[in-house]
Amino acid sequence: MKKIIEKVKNNERVDLKEALRLYDLDLFSLGSLANDIREKRWQKKSFFNINRHINPTNICKDICKFCAFSASRKNPNPYTLTHDEILEIVKNSSKEGIKEVHIVSAHNPNASLEWYMEIFSKIKNDYPHIHIKALTAAEIDFLAKEHNKSYEEIIDLMIKNGVDSMPGGGAEIFDQEIRDYICKGKVSSKEWLQIHELWHKRGKKSNATMLFGHVEKRVHRVDHMIRLRELQDKTGGFNAFIPLVYQRENNYLNVKNFLSSQEILKTIAISRIVLDNFDHIKAYWVTSTVNLSLVAQNFGADDLDGTIQKESINSAAGAKSAKGLALKLFVSLIKNSGYIPVERDSLYNELSIY
Ligand code: V47
């Protein structure tokens, strides 16, 4: 263990076995290693943005066992928003000063490719200053297969219609056996990584998530991080890593044991150490809870996502995030935890320091 700690302190890369061993460290020694890395890069700054989540449809051809958002037997309320309804949401949010829309849908076979794409150009046309973060690699894979297009063709359409960056959703866990158990039939790990690589090759940025705390083991989490690190070495196109803590309600994944806060913090800290080529580690307050995200700032995380305004995917599974977080409260919580709230844009340019 001493050797591994020395390596981390000397900024040397740890491999899968070494990263796994780090879980055996006590919580605060591990946290302190990760915090040193965080503070060297960002001192006491904690980033967030003023954003709005929009989920245009919940009708989905895939059945992911962990998902409580898509219309199903457990959640029988199918909806598909019209473009006018979406534009009305953006209009109202724009008045409140959002800088980003984060648009993610389910995989709706009844909606046309035009329905998916045109909303981006409509938003871009009316609100050119708003950054559009939209379409996960899982959605791109779905659209390509459903409409007989290549990934490159879908990516070209996204860029042509004004999508600025890709969110990190749909990564789940890359280990194929676990993946087949929790979301069989969805984009494979190889395809997810390939789509992000193609996106980065176009000079665009994206994020990467990891869904953990369900049936995976520690080794699968570290394996997931290392696959992301390898792609980041090649492209440098990822902005942030976002570990998503599994939410347990209203879904078909029958998980009996839930993660302790210690295990969540250790995983965030290890991600800060393993992902030495990622600038940002995001403690997503929606799935980590607000309080634990604030603590995670001391365990390697430098970003807390944003105000969100309306959250549907994780709140459907039990997260307390349906109405987002008010800006004033967000800022005061970060300040009160001893960090400096920095409002950023979607590409991490600093907009204002509170
Ligand atoms: O891909 C679904 C996850 C993701 C559950 O890129 C669940 O900036 C926990 O990707 N428990 C969507 N997680 C959210 C997402 C995201 C969020 C914030 C910022 C960014 C970004 C991306 O939510 C899905 C899936 O992995 N999810 N169900 C659940 N029961």
Side-chain angles (χ1 to χ4, degrees), residues 66 102 133 167-170 172 207 211 242 245 247 282 284 314 317:
F66 54 79
H102 176 161
K133 182 169 79 183
E172 322 313 356
N207 289 331
L211 178 64
I242 312 164
V245 182
Q247 308 294 300
K282 191 186 280 191
Y284 186 44
N314 294 106

Side-chain angles (χ1 to χ4, degrees), residues 223-268:
D223 165 67
H224 188 99
M225 294 172 200
I226 287 180
R227 293 195 211 194
L228 289 173
R229 186 172 76 183
E230 283 167 3
L231 179 55
Q232 181 75 331
D233 274 343
K234 260 169 107 176
T235 67
F238 287 117
N239 273 332
F241 175 66
I242 312 164
L244 301 168
V245 182
Y246 168 68
Q247 308 294 300
R248 61 191 81 170
E249 287 174 23
N250 305 318
N251 67 59
Y252 294 96
L253 204 53
N254 195 11
V255 175
K256 296 276 190 305
N257 298 314
F258 297 104
L259 291 187
S260 65
S261 297
Q262 287 211 25
E263 186 72 7
I264 295 169
L265 290 173
K266 282 189 172 186
T267 303
I268 292 173

Side-chain angles (χ1 to χ4, degrees), residues 159-193:
I159 294 173
K160 185 172 150 222
N161 284 285
V163 176
D164 296 296
S165 69
M166 266 176 70
E172 322 313 356
I173 275 282
F174 290 146
D175 178 87
Q176 202 57 48
E177 204 180 318
I178 303 286
R179 198 173 182 84
D180 282 346
Y181 179 72
I182 64 173
C183 55
K184 197 172 173 58
K186 191 160 146 172
V187 63
S188 70
S189 321
K190 217 174 133 211
E191 290 163 334
W192 191 98
L193 291 162

